[in-house]
Amino acid sequence: MDCLESHPSLPMERHGRKRKKRLLNTIREQIEFYFSDANLRHDRFMRQLIGAEDPDLKGRQAVDLNEFLKFNKISEMTQNIRDISLALERSKCLSLDEKSDKVQRMEPFVTRDVNCDDLTIYVERLPPNADHHWIRSVFAPFGPIQYIKVPHFRHNNNIMGFAFIEFEDKVSAEKALKHFNALSSDDNQNSDQMDSNN
């Protein structure tokens, strides 16, 4: 009888485990992004944290996990250091120290002369609710995305309606640009036809 009574809670437990797994994956992806070459090219604060400018450290200085609780995106997901250390256990590019309270890059950070302009496209007229996740879902079909910058207004934190999307390679950026230029020219032709009909 006890076994039968405990069965209804099993789906709830499974659901809770799935949700926890999703949370840990999201935390890991976000912190891996902070340590990524693409982000480090733009983020002076992270470069300082990892000792990117120090020729001895080469960007491999360990960062205390407590530091990430000060980052808005991480603090919205968790206030628990244990969640962060659990998330990073599965990382293929970051490693935890013996106490699992600090993390560092596995590979040194090498400043490369990358022409970001060739890899980056500018998009505008974004919907007011567009965020990094939405932009990534729209543009990922054209190729791997390394960096997304969505400027916000300071007074209300609403997006300004445009973004910069940096792809991993020039071909992906050109594909995305070609596709959205074609859509834009179709819109212009349609509005020209509407004007001529009036």
Side-chain angles (χ1 to χ4, degrees), residues 152-171:
H152 289 73
F153 291 108
R154 283 188 181 180
H155 66 282
N156 60 11
N157 207 35
N158 290 340
I159 68 165
M160 293 182 178
F162 63 91
F164 299 93
I165 302 157
E166 182 183 323
F167 287 89
E168 196 173 275
D169 56 68
K170 190 176 176 180
V171 173

Side-chain angles (χ1 to χ4, degrees), residues 40 43-53 57 61 63:
L40 290 170
D43 190 335
R44 186 183 305 152
F45 178 69
M46 270 304 292
R47 284 200 308 272
Q48 288 172 344
L49 275 183
I50 68 165
E53 317 300 335
L57 294 170
Q61 179 167 282
V63 179

Side-chain angles (χ1 to χ4, degrees), residues 183-198:
L183 288 179
S184 177
S185 69
D186 286 349
D187 286 348
N188 290 338
Q189 285 176 358
N190 290 340
S191 67
D192 288 345
Q193 285 173 355
M194 286 174 67
D195 290 343
S196 64
N197 290 337
N198 290 335

Side-chain angles (χ1 to χ4, degrees), residues 2-190:
D2 289 343
C3 291
L4 289 172
E5 287 173 2
S6 65
H7 274 289
S9 68
L10 287 176
M12 290 297 286
E13 284 177 27
R14 259 190 236 116
H15 181 68
R17 281 197 300 267
K18 279 184 181 176
R19 194 169 54 221
K20 184 72 169 185
K21 189 175 179 181
R22 268 198 310 269
L23 170 69
L24 296 180
N25 284 339
T26 307
I27 291 170
R28 177 180 47 76
E29 287 168 7
Q30 188 62 43
I31 293 179
E32 285 177 346
F33 167 73
Y34 293 143
F35 281 89
S36 71
D37 287 0
N39 184 58
L40 290 170
R41 284 198 300 271
H42 300 276
D43 190 335
R44 186 183 305 152
F45 178 69
M46 270 304 292
R47 284 200 308 272
Q48 288 172 344
L49 275 183
I50 68 165
E53 317 300 335
D54 187 321
D56 295 328
L57 294 170
K58 296 180 182 172
R60 295 188 69 234
Q61 179 167 282
V63 179
D64 193 307
L65 296 186
N66 282 300
E67 194 66 45
F68 295 104
L69 294 179
K70 300 173 191 172
F71 287 50
N72 290 339
K73 286 193 177 174
I74 299 297
S75 67
E76 286 169 9
M77 290 187 261
T78 187
Q79 282 297 309
N80 189 341
I81 293 299
R82 179 79 179 129
D83 286 341
I84 298 175
S85 66
L86 279 172
L88 294 175
E89 282 176 4
R90 291 179 171 258
S91 178
K92 293 180 179 162
C93 56
L94 303 175
S95 64
L96 291 162
D97 69 348
E98 290 175 11
K99 294 180 182 176
S100 293
D101 60 3
K102 289 185 179 178
V103 64
Q104 67 184 63
R105 281 174 60 112
M106 291 181 186
E107 298 291 326
F109 173 64
V110 180
T111 308
R112 295 184 178 92
D113 289 331
V114 177
N115 186 353
C116 293
D117 291 346
D118 289 344
L119 308 175
T120 305
I121 65 169
Y122 165 81
V123 294
E124 56 186 15
R125 293 190 293 181
L126 294 174
N129 61 340
D131 58 11
H132 283 74
H133 180 74
W134 183 88
I135 292 169
R136 189 173 292 278
S137 68
V138 170
F139 288 90
F142 301 101
I145 295 169
Q146 294 203 86
Y147 185 83
I148 299 170
K149 182 174 184 179
V150 187
H152 289 73
F153 291 108
R154 283 188 181 180
H155 66 282
N156 60 11
N157 207 35
N158 290 340
I159 68 165
M160 293 182 178
F162 63 91
F164 299 93
I165 302 157
E166 182 183 323
F167 287 89
E168 196 173 275
D169 56 68
K170 190 176 176 180
V171 173
S172 300
E174 287 171 349
K175 272 199 297 188
L177 200 58
K178 186 176 178 182
H179 176 80
F180 285 95
N181 280 343
L183 288 179
S184 177
S185 69
D186 286 349
D187 286 348
N188 290 338
Q189 285 176 358
N190 290 340

